[in-house]
Amino acid sequence: MSAPAVAREKNPDTDRVAMQVRDLTVDLRTPSGIIRAVDHVSFNARRGETLALLGESGCGKSMTAQAVVGLLEPIADITEGSVELGSDEHGRVDLVTAKKKIRRHLAANELAIVFQDALTALNPVYTVGTQLAEPFRIHRGMSAKEAKREAISLMTRVGIPEPESRVDSYPHQFSGGMRQRLLIAMAVALSPSVLLADEPTTALDVTVQAQIMALLRDLRTEHDMAVVLITHDLALVAEEADRVAIMYAGNIVETGLVSEVFAEPRHPYTKGLLDSVPVHAVRGEDLASIGGTPPDLHSVPSGCVYQARCPLVQDICISTRPTLEPVGDGRFSACHFSNEVSHV
């Protein structure tokens, strides 16, 4: 399949763009053949902003993040596209084609990731102090004593109580919320320009979720980072993100400011997601939902990926894949009938 035309975000303040992802494509090798998990995905991550990648489970959000940071499984390959870090003024580095030595240098220094399961992301056989000190020893050449001092400082900054006495504790000795704080501390240790947060509040109670997101907001401001928030939580996106990219079946189908996209969606999938939120639910009545299921990635239709579930589907949707086209200032939608979405 030939690469579809992809809309480019117009951003007058190019110095604020910390990362540009262009036409990123990831294929998976399976016993039944190659499947496309991420299909020509493009977006900008800007300093001081939070961009949300939003969509159902299995839509390609986490696979996109893993491809960006170079942590794909051996069965997955980036077959097209680029991931450029840096600014136009100081030069950009394409992580897809960069040598391993350069990627290792950029890891933590410029690009970091927070995983959703802190217990498995942290090494259970090393103390948290050892793990927090590692970036300083590897990238800053600090002594063990100096690195431990920095680790204690990090624990203080992310709100770990009594860090001097807990720096020699192991991950299992911390609560889920505290482990997530430790994982965030490791990610921001060297003040990266881009932070990817992959479902950072999964399995945490509501109070702790709010604390974690407040911490990420503070750190984003403190380090002037670009944050890419990967989630399926619409409420979290509405509360925390500045811009949103809606993903479906490995494709981005709509982008724009959260306030505008949520107020007036221009893609049927986005509208279906928003209509599924039980804001006006009545006891005893059925909850609204999107009918059907996402397409099997082994047989994604050649036309619109959303055609089987779309109330607006027509012949052109079956025959022609829609591309992201402008539907307003800084907004894009991949729908042949974006102007009619509000009437569904």
Side-chain angles (χ1 to χ4, degrees):
M1 182 184 297
S2 61
V6 178
R8 299 292 188 254
E9 293 184 64
K10 293 182 180 180
N11 179 30
D13 192 2
T14 55
D15 287 341
R16 304 298 295 169
V17 177
M19 181 175 71
Q20 290 184 337
V21 177
R22 290 288 173 263
D23 298 324
L24 185 65
T25 303
V26 178
D27 288 348
L28 299 178
R29 299 185 302 279
T30 72
S32 55
I34 293 177
I35 62 174
R36 179 146 293 177
V38 178
D39 193 358
H40 296 91
V41 162
S42 298
F43 59 84
N44 288 342
R46 303 171 187 165
R47 286 184 175 273
E49 285 189 353
T50 295
L51 167 70
L53 291 184
L54 174 67
E56 295 172 281
S57 296
C59 71
K61 306 184 302 294
S62 293
M63 187 69 69
T64 298
Q66 291 167 16
V68 166
V69 297
L71 294 177
L72 288 174
E73 296 290 336
I75 63 169
D77 299 295
I78 297 177
T79 56
E80 292 184 52
S82 62
V83 179
E84 295 185 348
L85 274 182
S87 65
D88 293 334
E89 181 181 355
H90 298 100
R92 296 186 180 276
V93 177
D94 184 2
L95 298 179
V96 175
T97 58
K99 295 181 180 179
K100 289 184 178 180
K101 183 178 181 180
I102 295 176
R103 290 187 66 102
R104 283 197 298 268
H105 172 73
L106 292 174
N109 282 293
E110 294 293 335
L111 178 66
I113 186 168
V114 176
F115 296 99
Q116 59 181 294
D117 189 350
L119 188 58
T120 57
L122 293 167
N123 194 318
V125 301
Y126 291 103
T127 66
V128 297
T130 299
Q131 296 179 66
L132 286 171
E134 187 176 37
F136 298 104
R137 298 190 66 180
I138 293 176
H139 295 280
R140 297 289 187 266
M142 292 184 180
S143 66
K145 185 176 181 180
E146 291 172 328
K148 184 175 182 179
R149 187 161 53 244
E150 291 292 339
I152 293 173
S153 176
L154 272 178
M155 293 175 71
T156 302
R157 285 164 60 196
V158 299
I160 304 294
E162 302 176 359
E164 292 83 0
S165 61
R166 305 199 72 184
V167 71
D168 294 320
S169 299
Y170 290 86
H172 73 271
Q173 296 175 292
F174 292 83
S175 68
M178 289 295 109
R179 285 195 296 266
Q180 199 66 19
R181 287 173 181 268
L182 289 167
L183 207 58
I184 293 171
M186 290 177 63
V188 303
L190 302 180
S191 302
S193 57
V194 181
L195 176 68
L196 284 79
D198 188 359
E199 302 277 8
T201 59
T202 296
L204 302 178
D205 64 54
V206 175
T207 301
V208 177
Q209 285 184 24
Q211 294 172 352
I212 294 298
M213 295 312 302
L215 173 60
L216 283 174
R217 283 198 306 273
D218 292 342
L219 292 170
R220 182 191 68 182
T221 302
E222 179 182 344
H223 299 291
D224 195 27
M225 292 187 302
V227 175
V228 180
L229 175 64
I230 297 166
T231 183
H232 59 263
D233 189 332
L234 289 147
L236 187 64
V237 174
E239 183 73 23
E240 301 294 341
D242 300 291
R243 293 180 297 120
V244 63
I246 312 291
M247 290 194 70
Y248 184 80
N251 292 257
I252 289 182
V253 296
E254 184 170 3
T255 67
L257 292 174
V258 172
S259 58
E260 296 178 356
V261 171
F262 280 23
E264 187 183 2
R266 300 296 294 273
H267 192 281
Y269 177 59
T270 308
K271 190 172 191 304
L273 287 176
L274 294 169
D275 289 345
S276 299
V277 178
V279 177
H280 304 294
V282 178
R283 184 183 295 274
E285 293 186 1
D286 292 337
L287 295 175
S289 63
I290 301 176
T293 59
D296 184 346
L297 293 181
H298 288 93
S299 55
V300 176
S302 58
C304 177
V305 293
Y306 191 61
Q307 61 181 266
R309 307 171 78 182
C310 182
L312 295 174
V313 63
Q314 295 187 34
D315 290 344
I316 190 175
C317 306
I318 297 172
S319 62
T320 306
R321 176 75 60 89
T323 59
L324 282 170
E325 299 293 341
V327 291
D329 187 15
R331 289 193 60 184
F332 298 88
S333 174
C335 178
H336 294 300
F337 304 101
S338 59
N339 291 329
E340 301 176 26
V341 171
S342 60
H343 304 303
V344 175

